[in-house]
Amino acid sequence: MPPFSARDKLHFKFGKVKEDMRIEEHPILGRLKKGKLVEIEVDGEVIQAIEGEPIAAALMAAGRKVFRYTRKLHEPRGVFCAIGRCTDCMMVVDGRPNVRTCVTPVKAGMKIRTQHGVSDEEN
Amino acid sequence: MRRTELAIVGAGPAGLSAAVEAASAGVHVTLIDENRKPGGQLFKQIHKFFGSKEHYAGVRGFEIGMRLLEEVERLGVDVMLDSVVWGIFKEHTLGIIHDRRNILLRADKILLATGATENALAFPGWTLPGVMGAGAVQTMMNIHRVLPGRRAIMIGSGNVGLIVSYQLLQAGAQVIAVVEAAPRIGGYGVHASKLRRYGVPILTSTTIKEAGGKEEVERAVLVKLDGNWQQIPGTEEEHEVDLICLAVGLSPLAELAWMAGCRFEYIPELGGHVPIHNSNMETTVPGIYVAGDIAGVEEASTAMEEGKLAGIAIAESLGYLRSDEARDRKGEVLKRLSELRSGPFGRMRRRAKERLQRRYGVE
Amino acid sequence: MSLERDGVLSDEELAGLPGMPSKERLNRGPVAVIECAQEIPCNPCEDACPNGAIQVGEPITNLPRLIEDRCTGCGLCVPACPGLAIFVVDMSYSEDEAALQIPYEFLPMPRKGEMVEGLDREGKVVCSALVVRALNSKRFDHTAVITIVVPKDQAMKVRGIRATARSPL
């Protein structure tokens, strides 16, 4: 497993390069102390995450912004309130749909899928 | 059915401060919060607070949060985290979901300190990923250490908009502009000056016309407003951005107060519908108190003082504090509150709170 | 230009502030310049000054008043102000230069000996400046105080710096 660093660029299945949006150094908060790194699967791709952080944080750190598509018009949605109130960030997690990823902590081996509509059906 | 003397819903600055006051006097306190960690919005505040030494001036918000937490732990307050208070019923009974189980908790007194929620601003394209609340941006940056975008536009120049814009700079993002619909900047001049010094324009009489992008935000179109808040055609300006932050006000999260039958008053300066309360922070339903943003959107410092006030009043009503002792302590808090509610910014809030409190006891 | 409309204090607004030292005092040596123009309940500057040179009193919404003869230009007030509105200006630094102490809360942290860009209150680059000291004491709680040397005629204009890009550690 390669070491996790701010300079790593993460490659997804379709050749899209997403940049690491992790704030490693901060003038007030200091250096980021990461804790245990785990692997999770997002739409079949493996990405690294910090154990216990919200799923949404891991995804956004990997540059991912689109989390689901709406039922009728298939419009993209992502994080909006980040506090568990608006349901924009819902995804299918370990087979369960409508999981608010901004308040659900990451666990090693979690399987996360882009949600289509309000169920666990693939588009 | 569990029992407690004081149930506090919400472990933010108001709830924590109330817990400390009440528990210090000997009250059995149960502090409930839906999040995994207590502290409310305090841990996102990485800037230094204003006020005086008693108001923790010069201390960063998250540091204040840690001190309050230590106090609460030291006093042996019963803290229930990951617990959602979903209902409030007769005889001061709360329905709580904890660990996927429903728990009923009966309390002698209840303090609702559930804070406020961010408002949204709808415009074409506002549902695109990359449009987020300013508080959400703060959470991602300061708690989760993730940058939600690299080029941002901030809508709203109140203190939240100005402070979060500065924090975006600190986190390594660019802020293309702060946009304000009114002809004047809403927040403190010093917050605005810090941004202007570092090259962030603050565009007054301006709003966002639309956001564009295929799957995510890629651009924002700004437009100027005339004296009647109408968009002026021909003044549109397009900017390449990947993040649009909405800092357009907060509204009290008062569903539990509605459920409990508290009477409300609509006060726009305090964020909308606010539960009526007296100077003891007690609502029109005896035994139910409010403190912090739920009682009117202000600041963390006023939330802490109101929490203390409620804690003292509740301890007194439960017989843990003599009335002269309570009166003296309340007097100190009220003095600090009136200091915080002075000056051109605070004055408006003080008058609004006075209006609210005058409604107490009026049929 | 006005604070309420643009977030930038005009020259008129600045001149009228009780926290502004006189020209005569400025020329004598390092002195605090307190650009605090709104009545907000706030007084950590008063507490920070070891010489009683900053007076707020009661009510704490009073604008801070500089007692310029008591001010030694020590700079302890600079990191204490939550609004980052206090600077120290030393017009006596050299014949054509002045030294400025400014509060700074960004990365990368400038280093002694570096050249940086001097920014005015509107964020415009008005000169280049030499960093002669970069202090980030634990006591300042992450508000660093950077001392830069600028041409004298920019001393009352420069209020920010832009460090030139450096590869981070």
Side-chain angles (χ1 to χ4, degrees):
Chain A
M1 199 180 350
F4 195 60
S5 100
R7 302 287 96 81
D8 280 353
K9 290 194 190 300
L10 299 157
H11 296 258
F12 282 103
K13 179 153 74 169
F14 308 106
K16 273 187 291 187
V17 171
K18 295 281 190 181
E19 250 193 270
D20 187 353
M21 302 295 274
R22 200 64 81 171
I23 303 168
E24 299 276 337
E25 286 279 3
H26 190 281
I28 311 296
L29 300 169
R31 181 167 283 254
L32 175 60
K33 293 189 198 62
K34 275 198 204 112
K36 183 157 164 236
L37 294 177
V38 294
E39 282 189 342
I40 59 175
E41 214 182 275
V42 184
D43 288 332
E45 279 307 301
V46 172
I47 67 167
Q48 293 210 332
I50 301 170
E51 187 177 54
E53 71 174 343
I55 298 168
L59 263 54
M60 290 192 78
R64 172 79 180 249
K65 286 189 181 166
V66 180
F67 286 24
R68 70 177 175 95
Y69 290 87
T70 58
R71 190 162 70 95
K72 273 199 260 187
L73 301 176
H74 306 293
E75 290 178 338
R77 293 284 187 274
V79 169
F80 183 77
C81 78
I83 212 171
R85 298 218 123 237
C86 75
T87 74
D88 256 14
C89 68
M90 299 192 304
M91 298 182 87
V92 181
V93 176
D94 288 339
R96 251 181 29 249
N98 302 324
V99 173
R100 293 171 298 158
T101 55
C102 68
V103 291
T104 307
V106 153
K107 280 204 271 266
M110 231 175 195
K111 288 187 171 43
I112 297 141
R113 259 198 292 128
T114 298
Q115 180 163 313
H116 295 273
V118 292
S119 72
D120 60 358
E121 283 169 22
E122 316 231 7
N123 190 24
Chain B
M1 173 86 75
R2 294 199 200 171
R3 278 202 118 280
T4 189
E5 288 187 303
L6 169 59
I8 301 178
V9 186
L16 288 169
S17 301
V20 168
E21 282 301 318
S24 308
V27 178
H28 183 262
V29 179
T30 303
L31 183 55
I32 309 154
D33 198 289
E34 64 180 3
N35 296 296
R36 281 188 308 139
K37 294 199 184 127
Q41 307 309 309
L42 271 177
F43 286 94
K44 292 162 27 175
Q45 310 313 324
I46 62 173
H47 57 283
K48 288 178 176 172
F49 276 32
F50 293 72
S52 69
K53 230 191 315 236
E54 290 77 30
H55 302 115
Y56 294 105
V59 185
R60 298 188 189 273
F62 63 84
E63 175 71 46
I64 298 173
M66 290 200 290
R67 294 185 196 178
L68 277 174
L69 270 179
E70 277 163 20
E71 264 301 286
V72 160
E73 273 156 27
R74 193 184 62 80
L75 288 164
V77 169
D78 194 13
V79 183
M80 290 176 70
L81 299 172
D82 261 326
S83 305
V84 180
V85 176
W86 60 272
I88 182 168
F89 305 101
K90 280 202 205 142
E91 287 158 29
H92 295 169
T93 302
L94 298 175
I96 307 170
I97 296 183
H98 175 77
D99 215 11
R100 300 179 164 224
R101 285 177 307 127
N102 184 37
I103 297 168
L104 292 178
L105 173 68
R106 185 181 293 172
D108 294 323
K109 307 284 177 184
I110 296 177
L111 170 62
L112 301 174
T114 45
T117 187
E118 290 199 281
N119 295 336
L121 182 71
F123 47 85
W126 78 294
T127 56
L128 278 170
V131 179
M132 296 168 66
V137 168
Q138 239 188 351
T139 301
M140 297 308 292
M141 292 191 298
N142 301 338
I143 311 255
H144 305 317
R145 300 291 296 258
V146 176
L147 204 53
R150 292 206 189 280
R151 281 175 63 88
I153 275 189
M154 177 67 66
I155 313 291
S157 74
N159 279 335
V160 173
L162 296 175
I163 289 172
V164 176
S165 296
Y166 182 71
Q167 291 172 2
L168 272 163
L169 296 179
Q170 290 181 307
Q174 268 185 294
V175 180
I176 308 306
V178 173
V179 167
E180 169 58 58
R184 288 183 358 218
I185 294 171
Y188 293 171
V190 286
H191 288 318
S193 298
K194 273 171 9 187
L195 291 174
R196 290 302 314 272
R197 216 180 277 165
Y198 290 102
V200 178
I202 302 178
L203 309 173
T204 50
S205 297
T206 307
T207 192
I208 181 164
K209 185 174 178 176
E210 62 192 26
K214 200 159 155 289
E215 291 267 291
E216 306 169 1
V217 168
E218 285 164 25
R219 60 193 166 274
V221 178
L222 303 180
V223 68
K224 288 243 155 270
L225 294 173
D226 66 20
N228 285 317
W229 309 91
Q230 301 305 303
Q231 298 185 4
I232 303 174
T235 63
E236 290 86 355
E237 246 178 46
E238 192 175 287
H239 297 269
E240 236 181 71
V241 293
D242 64 354
L243 178 61
I244 299 174
C245 314
L246 306 180
V248 293
L250 300 158
S251 301
L253 273 171
E255 292 106 325
L256 288 173
W258 286 112
M259 274 191 84
C262 300
R263 276 188 25 246
F264 279 68
E265 183 80 354
Y266 182 71
I267 303 202
E269 307 93 284
L270 292 176
H273 292 282
V274 190
I276 295 168
H277 59 86
N278 59 18
S279 60
N280 276 336
M281 306 308 299
E282 195 170 18
T283 65
T284 55
V285 175
I288 298 188
Y289 297 71
V290 285
D293 276 357
I294 184 184
V297 176
E298 293 188 88
E299 306 170 316
S301 31
T302 46
M304 290 191 278
E305 299 299 340
E306 284 197 337
K308 287 186 201 145
L309 202 49
I312 295 165
I314 289 166
E316 182 190 9
S317 79
L318 287 171
Y320 285 97
L321 276 179
R322 288 193 326 267
S323 51
D324 57 331
E325 225 187 318
R327 191 187 50 235
D328 289 340
R329 288 216 211 166
K330 278 192 261 182
E332 284 167 22
V333 175
L334 288 168
K335 177 172 180 286
R336 286 197 301 268
L337 265 175
S338 89
E339 274 179 341
L340 292 171
R341 290 176 180 149
S342 54
F345 290 92
R347 210 173 283 149
M348 181 194 68
R349 291 184 277 113
R350 190 190 70 237
R351 288 195 205 119
K353 288 292 273 200
E354 282 167 0
R355 241 167 59 223
L356 181 65
Q357 287 180 23
R358 274 202 296 275
R359 301 291 302 153
Y360 184 85
V362 175
E363 274 318 297
Chain C
M1 193 60 53
S2 84
L3 190 65
E4 258 189 358
R5 250 196 351 258
D6 319 276
V8 176
L9 284 162
S10 68
D11 288 335
E12 294 75 44
E13 286 171 313
L14 281 163
L17 294 179
M20 235 350 109
S22 66
K23 203 151 180 197
E24 187 261 340
R25 174 63 187 85
L26 269 166
N27 289 330
R28 255 196 279 146
V31 66
V33 175
I34 309 171
E35 301 190 358
C36 178
Q38 284 179 334
E39 288 176 343
I40 291 165
C42 186
N43 67 0
C45 54
E46 187 176 47
D47 289 339
C49 179
N51 303 312
I54 304 182
Q55 261 176 24
V56 173
E58 291 205 358
I60 60 173
T61 42
N62 288 336
L63 295 186
R65 169 169 297 280
L66 177 71
I67 317 292
E68 57 185 35
D69 294 328
R70 288 200 204 148
C71 176
T72 61
C74 72
L76 281 175
C77 49
V78 172
C81 171
L84 300 198
I86 306 183
F87 311 87
V88 168
V89 175
D90 180 7
M91 290 291 206
S92 72
Y93 183 78
S94 81
E95 206 180 309
D96 355 79
E97 293 160 320
L100 301 182
Q101 290 182 42
I102 65 162
Y104 194 72
E105 292 182 328
F106 296 113
L107 292 176
M109 196 54 55
R111 288 201 279 249
K112 179 174 170 179
E114 262 186 13
M115 289 300 292
V116 295
E117 292 177 323
L119 306 171
D120 70 4
R121 291 182 191 85
E122 293 174 69
K124 285 205 284 280
V125 178
V126 290
C127 64
S128 57
L130 174 68
V131 177
V132 296
R133 195 169 73 159
L135 212 52
N136 205 348
S137 155
K138 202 152 185 245
R139 213 162 38 134
F140 298 164
D141 188 9
H142 301 94
T143 306
V145 179
I146 313 294
T147 308
I148 52 171
V149 173
V150 298
K152 244 189 199 139
D153 61 355
Q154 299 300 331
M156 291 306 275
K157 299 234 175 291
V158 172
R159 291 295 177 259
I161 57 171
R162 183 166 294 139
T164 45
R166 218 194 297 132
S167 52
L169 297 152

